[in-house]
Amino acid sequence: VLIALAYESSDLIALMRSSVGWGAIIIVVAGELVINATNLYGTGLAVVAFCDTALGLQMPRRSVTLACGILGSALGAAGLLSHFVDFLIVLSVTFPPIAGILLCEYCCVRRFRNDLDSTRKLGVLPSEAATCVPTTLVVWLAASLLGHFIKVGIPCLYSFFGAAILYAFAAWCGALRSCGITHTERMVKAGKPCGIAQ
């Protein structure tokens, strides 16, 4: 920042070339390549694991990683970076409600915690778990919108505490009903690789 102010320019490459030389540029570019490769690897694993766990689809990791790389490159070439701050603002109000719901469930509501406590001593997962609790999706969406549209203060805190309060209210009303049951015991016995398909 100080170098940019001194040279009165925001062109990072030109600043580095004029101040510290080509060596610094090579180091920065190499670092970016490593970071981007790590991000691409993680994205490919996440997509494959999600498709395997949530949708029951076995997808080849290499093809998914290649598709993610092409999509990311296309979005970057299309100028997605100019909307990066807006993207971060959306993330800042959509992820905190997840933490608010989880903490409220685990520490206060305890609607599903008894199942975990009963099997913890054995070192295994409960044999069954709720596939989906639609009320949590409604709470998440409402809290995200709350954080997005209230411009005063810290939006991520609004979405976090809003989700916790709404989840507690939903539990008090008896609205935390699950849709479907997933048999976790079968998944463990089957030894599903969860995202290791080649």
Side-chain angles (χ1 to χ4, degrees), residues 125-129 182-189:
L125 291 172
S127 60
E128 295 179 344
T182 298
H183 298 281
T184 57
E185 204 169 66
R186 291 180 189 169
M187 293 176 68
V188 172
K189 285 180 179 177

Side-chain angles (χ1 to χ4, degrees), residues 120-175:
R120 180 180 293 135
K121 294 178 182 177
L122 301 174
V124 296
L125 291 172
S127 60
E128 295 179 344
T131 301
C132 178
V133 183
T135 307
T136 58
L137 296 176
V138 175
V139 167
W140 168 77
L141 180 61
S144 299
L145 292 174
L146 178 74
H148 181 70
F149 287 111
I150 296 181
K151 302 298 182 184
V152 181
I154 306 174
C156 63
L157 291 181
Y158 293 141
S159 61
F160 176 84
F161 288 111
I165 292 169
L166 288 172
Y167 186 82
F169 179 73
W172 181 72
C173 293

Side-chain angles (χ1 to χ4, degrees), residues 29-51:
V29 171
E32 284 297 319
L33 287 173
V34 172
I35 291 170
N36 289 338
T38 305
N39 290 337
L40 186 58
Y41 175 75
T43 301
L45 280 182
V47 171
V48 170
F50 174 78
C51 291

